[in-house]
Amino acid sequence: MTGQAVRYLLVGVSNTAITLVAYALLVAAGVPPVAASAVAFVAGAANGYRLNRTWTFRSDRRGAGQGARYLAVLTLGLGLNAIGVALAVHGAGL
C-alpha cells in the first residue's frame, strides 16, 4: 500500500470511531437515535474532510467549489444514514 492509501484508511477508521463514540454518548444522554446519528455523522464527516484535505491528499486549494462538492456528498450520505437508522430503530426495533 502506498502512504496515501494508508493515511486514507486511518482517516476512515478515525471517522468511524468518532461517529460511533458521538452516537453512543448522544443516545446515552437521551438524544433520539435518528438525531444522534445525524450529529455523529456530521462529526465524523468533518473529521474526514479536515484530515483528508490536510493530511491524506495535502491539498492547499481554496475555494467554495471543493467544500460544496464535499457538502453535496455529505448531505446525500447523511440522508441515507438517517433513513437507515430510522428503519433499524423504528422498523426493526434495534
Side-chain angles (χ1 to χ4, degrees):
M1 292 181 90
T2 67
Q4 189 175 55
V6 171
R7 289 189 300 271
Y8 186 74
L9 176 69
L10 291 173
V11 170
V13 168
S14 73
N15 294 347
T16 301
I18 286 170
T19 302
L20 288 174
V21 169
Y23 178 77
L25 290 172
L26 289 166
V27 168
V31 176
V34 175
S37 77
V39 172
F41 184 90
V42 170
N47 175 70
Y49 181 77
R50 174 82 176 164
L51 288 179
N52 278 323
R53 182 176 173 80
T54 60
W55 185 50
T56 305
F57 302 110
R58 295 187 178 122
S59 176
D60 290 329
R61 294 176 66 183
R62 299 284 182 247
Q66 307 219 317
R69 284 192 301 272
Y70 190 83
L71 185 59
V73 173
L74 170 70
T75 302
L76 176 63
L78 177 59
L80 292 172
N81 185 66
I83 290 168
V85 171
L87 289 172
V89 172
H90 303 295
L94 300 177

